Amino acid sequence: MSPADPNPDLHPGSVARGDWWKSAVVYQVYPRSFADSDGDGVGDLGGILDHLDYLELLGVDVVWLSPVYRSPMADNGYDISDYHDVDPLFGTLEQLDELIAQLHARDMKLVMDLVVNHTSSAHAWFVESRSSTDNPKRDWYWWRSPRPGHEPGSPGAEPTNWGSAFSGPAWTYDSRTGEYYLHVFTPHQPDLNWENPEVRHAIYAMMREWLDRGVDGFRMDVINVISKVVGPIGADGRVTLPDGVVGGERDTRWPGVVDTDVFADTPAFVLNGPRVHEFLQEMHREVFSGRPPGLLRVGETPGCPVEEAVLYTDPSRGELDMVFQFEHVDLDSGPKGKWDLRPMTMLRLKQSFGRWQDGLAEVGWNSLYLGNHDQPRCVSRFGSDAPEHREQSAKALATVLHLHRGTPYIYQGDELGMSNPGFTRLEQLRDVESLNHYATAVARGENPADVIRALAYKSRDNARVPMPWDASPGAGFTAGTPWLDIHPLSSSVNAAAQVDDPDSVFSHYRRLIALRHAEPCVAHGTFRMLLANHEQLYGFERSLDDTRLLVVANLSSAADVVPNLTELVAWSSAEPLIASVPGSSPAPTDPLAAWESRVLRLT
Ligand code: GLC
């Protein structure tokens, strides 16, 4: 059944619709790696301001800016020490105001990253919280006594047996007050205690300030981690946190973040916790309601099953507009987690995406993504980075992704077909998750070469190498020494080589974005999977009123794959809209070359 369009008279992109973001495309800027304007080797706001023409040419509607707030950079800015200021590494508040103004002048929006599951340990709130057991901010974080019968600070004395997502225990001992604090991520990222209403109201006040400043919404970092499973009040007057089972079943909703041979699997205690929906509804009331329409609320939600996503994004519940779910980026994780690699097969990807399309068909909305700053490059993971297939597979993946129902996100450089850079040495890596994993895995006896191989495939640094703007030695990214090496293909794979080439990956992305803007069926049509069991071809149909779109892609390196005629024959008179092979005008049932993709329309 076609979900009826509640606003058929309004242009699909009009903010007055409330759901303008369904026909929008979001572009993620990871500022550290986008463009460096002052030669210190690190990207900055000045660099972003220098490249707004590029974003406008691409045609994106929204820029999601990864954190630029003040930070000690233990996790590249996802450890915020001051929510109200810009880190000098990235520039100034005035430049951020300028960015907001310039994006608005170009009819684009700015969505800020909001990191409120945790702060930096250098944040004034935490500094005060750790100063004494009786200071007013003590309860703003999760402080707990050592486990009775254990030497405080020694292994096993942690208040619970939870592991951190970035290796080691989720608790760090602070000898000044003799207690531990909780951190789901690094020890530099203590978790805020959302049970405390003062914490929540301080966060809401900060969010309102950013909206007053002109930002258009938030991408909310690990927002489904804010509510922890708590037990009854303990002898110390604080709610208890329960132990889990060490060596037990891994929580398949967020595999691989915790070493379950040593720790209990933390996700069970922190994901989609008992009060998360209540907190988000409160946030909506306190921050967003009563403001003009158009503000965007995107929740990053690892380990979020589709049924839970319906709850987060049902418009009548007033929580989020869409989620960033992780199911498809966990498909190549084996039973031992993220670094236990198993092949990414197209069939499993199709099944997963299909399940999400069906699950949100009537109520709710999804973000569509294949890459971001936490994932390896999509071409190397879901496509092929072999020289003969890289460009075509980048186009095919983009075609399939952008034509699904949901809001597509482009991670900087994916529109150029960037691949993993091919790390071979630990010295090439900077990311805290990768470095911690290497140290832990090697200490546990794993072969260093195997660990490097897994990092070369999945390290977050794959996506963080500088954006290649041109063929110069600094790739047009920096005049100095880049914080992470320039990609080895930058002399050929770069923006300057692609923006004016109609056959480039960049131009293909432009066409896909333009199609979403022009054809309401892309944003609002129903989705029906075709060729469901085909191991190479990915096919589906979109339909809205009298318009039907057909998407067929060969997501494999096999040549001349012939589509199953019975499912596609009705399309023989369809008009080709976007073809990935330059100059071709294929019929739906023509054989598809390796990584060829087609979009056709039947009216
Ligand atoms: C999110 C961010 C990631 C960060 C983590 C902790 O997953 O995307 O980069 O490391 O949260 O803030």
Side-chain angles (χ1 to χ4, degrees), residues 28 30 64 66-67 75-79 113 115 117-118 166 184-186 189 219-222 254 300 302 326 372-374 431-433 460 464:
Q28 183 190 355
Y30 192 66
W64 150 27
S66 277
D75 188 15
N76 288 358
Y78 284 89
D79 49 319
D113 220 303
V115 189
N117 172 66
H118 45 268
F166 289 159
V184 172
F185 297 93
T186 72
Q189 294 163 295
R219 172 269 186 190
M220 304 177 190
D221 191 67
V222 289
W254 195 15
E300 189 208 21
F326 279 49
N372 60 40
H373 66 293
D374 293 330
D431 178 31
V432 63
E433 181 196 43
R460 305 193 298 181
R464 299 177 180 186

Side-chain angles (χ1 to χ4, degrees), residues 157-194:
E158 296 83 14
T160 72
N161 54 8
W162 303 357
S164 138
F166 289 159
S167 304
W171 295 94
T172 288
Y173 183 61
D174 197 36
S175 58
R176 184 173 347 188
T177 52
E179 289 194 326
Y180 284 81
Y181 65 89
L182 176 70
H183 51 85
V184 172
F185 297 93
T186 72
H188 304 286
Q189 294 163 295
D191 281 50
L192 282 162
N193 175 13
W194 275 70

Side-chain angles (χ1 to χ4, degrees), residues 344-564:
M344 175 68 80
T345 71
M346 203 278 284
L347 212 48
R348 287 217 307 275
L349 178 70
K350 181 159 48 171
Q351 283 158 355
S352 171
F353 273 1
R355 195 166 39 248
W356 277 82
Q357 292 290 307
D358 291 346
L360 297 177
E362 301 294 330
V363 176
W365 199 251
N366 199 7
S367 308
L368 305 171
Y369 75 98
L370 290 172
N372 60 40
H373 66 293
D374 293 330
Q375 304 296 334
R377 284 290 174 184
C378 62
V379 160
S380 301
R381 188 183 206 179
F382 301 98
S384 165
D385 57 15
E388 67 278 25
H389 296 311
R390 186 186 50 75
E391 276 187 39
Q392 282 302 313
S393 75
K395 292 180 185 176
L397 291 171
T399 305
V400 167
L401 189 78
H402 281 239
L403 268 294
H404 273 77
R405 192 174 155 80
T407 299
Y409 283 64
I410 301 172
Y411 177 66
Q412 64 186 39
D414 280 348
E415 77 281 13
L416 303 175
M418 285 183 80
S419 54
N420 285 350
F423 296 125
T424 53
R425 290 175 295 115
L426 189 66
E427 298 69 47
Q428 295 169 309
L429 301 172
R430 301 282 174 276
D431 178 31
V432 63
E433 181 196 43
S434 296
L435 302 184
N436 285 358
H437 168 65
Y438 182 88
T440 315
V442 170
R444 161 170 83 207
E446 284 183 39
N447 176 351
D450 291 342
V451 181
I452 292 287
R453 253 192 300 281
L455 288 168
Y457 175 70
K458 258 195 186 169
S459 168
R460 305 193 298 181
D461 280 337
N462 279 301
R464 299 177 180 186
V465 300
M467 177 83 175
W469 293 102
D470 61 35
S472 66
F477 166 75
T478 185
T481 307
W483 73 279
L484 205 57
D485 286 349
I486 298 295
H487 196 290
L489 295 184
S490 291
S491 58
S492 55
V493 180
N494 61 63
Q498 294 196 29
V499 286
D500 296 325
D501 173 0
D503 294 335
S504 65
V505 179
F506 180 87
S507 296
H508 189 78
Y509 268 85
R510 281 185 71 189
R511 287 191 281 273
L512 292 169
I513 297 166
L515 179 64
R516 175 168 288 260
H517 291 155
E519 173 52 80
C521 183
V522 177
H524 298 286
T526 54
F527 178 97
R528 189 165 75 90
M529 191 68 90
L530 304 171
L531 309 165
N533 298 315
H534 203 293
E535 290 185 3
Q536 282 116 12
L537 295 184
Y538 199 126
F540 55 90
E541 182 185 301
R542 305 291 313 277
S543 155
L544 183 72
D545 303 328
D546 296 336
T547 302
R548 285 161 73 201
L549 299 176
L550 172 71
V551 180
V552 198
N554 177 4
L555 294 193
S556 85
S557 301
D560 294 333
V561 179
V562 184
N564 173 336

Side-chain angles (χ1 to χ4, degrees), residues 121 126-133 135 138 142-146 152-154 159 171-183 187:
S121 51
F126 188 74
V127 171
E128 186 181 340
S129 183
R130 85 189 312 176
S131 65
S132 68
T133 53
N135 77 80
R138 185 63 168 183
W142 295 94
W143 290 97
R144 290 297 179 273
S145 307
S154 66
W171 295 94
T172 288
Y173 183 61
D174 197 36
S175 58
R176 184 173 347 188
T177 52
E179 289 194 326
Y180 284 81
Y181 65 89
L182 176 70
H183 51 85

